């Protein structure tokens, strides 16, 4: 099925390349930064006019950089980041494209970014794979998906990439 959901969280399938290790993420990355999300702007929810079904969702967040590993930024710079999930305030639902989860404010993240080809913001390399939470705490949504045996292979790669990234950039 296309959509597996709890009451609030809706998983929207998306075709994406396979990311099996850190190298897969790095090879499409222009910018690698450590920092925190300081602001989340209202989400854009894309609905099909005819069926009124949701086929896309995104949120642009402002991310404040604390440390730069690659790219032309300096600590203190704020960058706009495209997040592949959106909150539909009206319906009280959160849409997760390919299981992407919004960054939490004040959590520290290591982001692998590339500039959008068409818009003034940065995209996360590998959609969710290029977003590394330093705390690594699992969300309710992920715990639910794991219980339902959904998306397990993707979680395996997510965890591997996270471990490799932390080893390479954080635990030096």
């Amino acid at each position: 099925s296309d959509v597996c959901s709890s009451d609030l969280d809706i998983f929207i399938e998306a075709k994406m390349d396979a990311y099996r290790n850190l190298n897969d993420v790095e090879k499409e990355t222009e910018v690698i930064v450590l920092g925190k999300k300081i602001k989340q702007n209202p989400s854009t929810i894309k609905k099909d006019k005819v069926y009124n079904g949701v086929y896309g969702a995104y949120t642009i967040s402002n991310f404040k950089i604390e440390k730069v590993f690659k790219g032309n930024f300096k600590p203190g710079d704020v960058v706009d980041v495209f997040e592949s999930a959106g909150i539909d305030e009206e319906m009280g639902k959160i849409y997760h494209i390919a299981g992407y989860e919004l960054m939490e404010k004040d959590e520290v993240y290591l982001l692998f970014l590339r500039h959008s080809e068409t818009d003034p913001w940065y995209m996360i390399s590998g959609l969710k794979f290029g977003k590394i939470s330093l705390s690594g705490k699992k969300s309710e949504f992920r715990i639910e998906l794991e219980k339902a045996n959904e998306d397990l292979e993707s979680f395996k790669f997510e965890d591997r990439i996270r471990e490799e990234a932390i080893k390479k950039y954080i635990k030096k």
Side-chain angles (χ1 to χ4, degrees):
S1 73
D2 262 5
V3 173
C4 93
S5 73
S6 65
D7 307 336
L8 294 177
D9 293 291
I10 297 172
F11 185 108
I12 298 182
E13 293 285 347
K15 294 257 178 294
M16 54 187 284
D17 298 334
Y19 295 88
R20 296 176 187 282
N21 54 44
L22 184 60
N23 189 46
D24 289 345
V25 174
E26 284 179 325
K27 65 179 188 238
E28 57 178 58
T29 295
E30 299 160 15
V31 172
I32 304 172
V33 288
L34 188 73
K36 288 177 181 170
K37 169 155 117 177
I38 53 172
K39 181 174 179 233
Q40 181 170 299
N41 297 294
S43 301
T44 299
I45 308 294
K46 296 182 166 178
K47 290 188 178 162
D48 183 293
K49 303 251 184 319
V50 181
Y51 301 106
N52 209 25
V54 170
Y55 66 88
Y58 69 88
T59 304
I60 303 299
S61 295
N62 308 123
F63 188 82
K64 188 172 187 181
I65 295 169
E66 293 171 9
K67 191 169 183 191
V68 181
F69 297 98
K70 182 182 179 185
N72 294 333
F73 287 104
K74 53 190 189 309
D77 286 347
V78 175
V79 59
D80 290 343
V81 175
F82 178 103
E83 296 204 76
S84 298
I87 300 168
D88 186 340
E89 301 284 358
E90 230 176 295
M91 307 300 287
K93 293 189 183 308
I94 304 176
Y95 294 95
H96 303 269
I97 309 302
Y100 180 90
E101 294 187 70
L102 291 165
M103 289 184 277
E104 288 180 37
K105 269 196 189 147
D106 295 328
E107 285 273 327
V108 179
Y109 293 90
L110 179 64
L111 295 186
F112 293 78
L113 303 170
R114 60 192 164 76
H115 203 277
S116 162
E117 284 165 25
T118 50
D119 294 288
W121 49 66
Y122 281 83
M123 313 294 289
I124 294 173
S125 304
L127 203 130
K128 60 182 174 179
F129 295 103
K131 179 195 75 168
I132 310 290
S133 150
L134 260 55
S135 80
K137 65 171 199 246
K138 286 188 188 182
S139 67
E140 294 296 315
F141 180 52
R142 171 162 172 176
I143 291 163
E144 287 299 309
L145 288 175
E146 284 180 335
K147 270 192 210 150
N149 282 327
E150 293 275 351
D151 222 29
L152 292 184
E153 174 146 290
S154 150
F155 289 139
K156 185 178 82 185
F157 293 127
E158 222 174 305
D159 291 344
R160 175 193 295 169
I161 289 166
R162 179 175 178 274
E163 276 165 36
E164 290 179 8
I166 285 177
K167 205 189 242 165
K168 180 168 178 179
Y169 293 100
I170 308 300
K171 294 199 169 129
K172 280 189 166 167

